[in-house]
Amino acid sequence: MIENYEIKAIDNIVCLPGTGILRAVIEIPEDISYLFPYINGHVSKARYLPKLPWIRFPFEGFSKKLKIKYDIACRPKQIIIGKFSSSEEAKEIIKEAIDFLNYIDSHKRDIEPNYKEWSPPSAIAILKYLPQSNCKKCGLQSCMAFAVKLSQNEVEPEKCPEITQENLENLKEIL
Ligand code: SF4
């Protein structure tokens, strides 16, 4: 049960500098990695890496349905949530996220844990959603280089200004 937490930062997402898109970094005193298999069993499209351990999943709210889909990544004693446009918005969603994690904790008996490890999509699979014009506007030499970075979770798909909305949505589904 998460009773105490500290918001360490609400700042720009590292791979989207200057965009005004924020993330929140929250630290918690307890190790919550025991929750990860239950989150993986409860949430569709979670990405779970048990060896780290680490889990990332889309979040649309707990007590209410949020207008947009946020992104939560958890390590044993750290939670990172994005993407916000203001710190007020961040604080509201942080509370929702903590309530959600505490719900998972208190309902572990009702949730079948899923220990399956997530496999990231290959750069080749990602490449088919990119324009493949090698225009370099993302700061990389080619679309393939961008696809490799995406597969390693080192860049956000929005960093490609040429991608179509449809392909952006498709990419977010597989990443
Ligand atoms: S900005 Fe997009 S289209 Fe241009 S090189 Fe980068 S990934 Fe390819």
Side-chain angles (χ1 to χ4, degrees):
M1 198 81 171
I2 302 169
E3 290 174 340
N4 302 304
Y5 62 89
E6 185 181 355
I7 302 173
K8 290 301 266 188
I10 296 178
D11 55 16
N12 275 291
I13 290 183
V14 178
C15 52
L16 293 172
T19 59
I21 301 175
L22 306 174
R23 63 162 196 173
V25 181
I26 300 114
E27 289 192 356
I28 40 182
E30 304 87 10
D31 182 339
I32 59 163
S33 56
Y34 68 95
L35 291 178
F36 297 175
Y38 295 94
I39 297 170
N40 200 29
H42 185 73
V43 178
S44 62
K45 295 182 185 158
R47 286 162 272 173
Y48 178 38
L49 299 177
K51 288 180 198 127
L52 285 179
W54 173 92
I55 191 163
R56 183 174 174 178
F57 55 96
F59 183 63
E60 292 181 277
F62 174 61
S63 67
K64 58 186 174 188
K65 172 110 171 147
L66 302 168
K67 286 188 197 125
I68 62 169
K69 214 183 267 182
Y70 294 88
D71 189 58
I72 299 182
C74 299
R75 292 181 188 277
K77 293 187 175 184
Q78 186 185 64
I79 304 165
I80 297 178
I81 312 176
K83 302 163 182 170
F84 310 107
S85 49
S86 73
S87 53
E88 289 71 33
E89 180 190 1
K91 284 174 188 159
E92 184 191 345
I93 308 310
I94 289 167
K95 187 180 176 316
E96 280 284 296
I98 298 291
D99 287 349
F100 170 74
L101 292 171
N102 281 334
Y103 168 85
I104 295 289
D105 196 7
S106 59
H107 287 76
K108 290 194 297 297
R109 279 194 202 154
D110 309 320
I111 300 170
E112 188 168 346
N114 179 357
Y115 297 93
K116 192 165 175 236
E117 183 169 349
W118 173 69
S119 309
S122 68
I124 295 291
I126 291 170
L127 185 64
K128 69 181 183 191
Y129 296 109
L130 298 176
Q132 300 185 41
S133 61
N134 299 323
C135 71
K136 303 188 177 110
K137 288 181 187 169
C138 57
L140 295 166
Q141 288 303 307
S142 65
C143 294
M144 188 58 188
F146 190 71
V148 170
K149 290 263 184 200
L150 279 172
S151 71
Q152 294 167 347
N153 206 23
E154 289 179 3
V155 70
E156 297 287 331
E158 291 90 342
K159 197 87 195 285
C160 168
E162 301 296 315
I163 194 168
T164 64
Q165 190 59 34
E166 184 184 356
N167 280 340
L168 182 61
E169 296 303 321
N170 287 331
L171 261 184
K172 285 180 174 175
E173 287 288 317
I174 62 164
L175 288 172

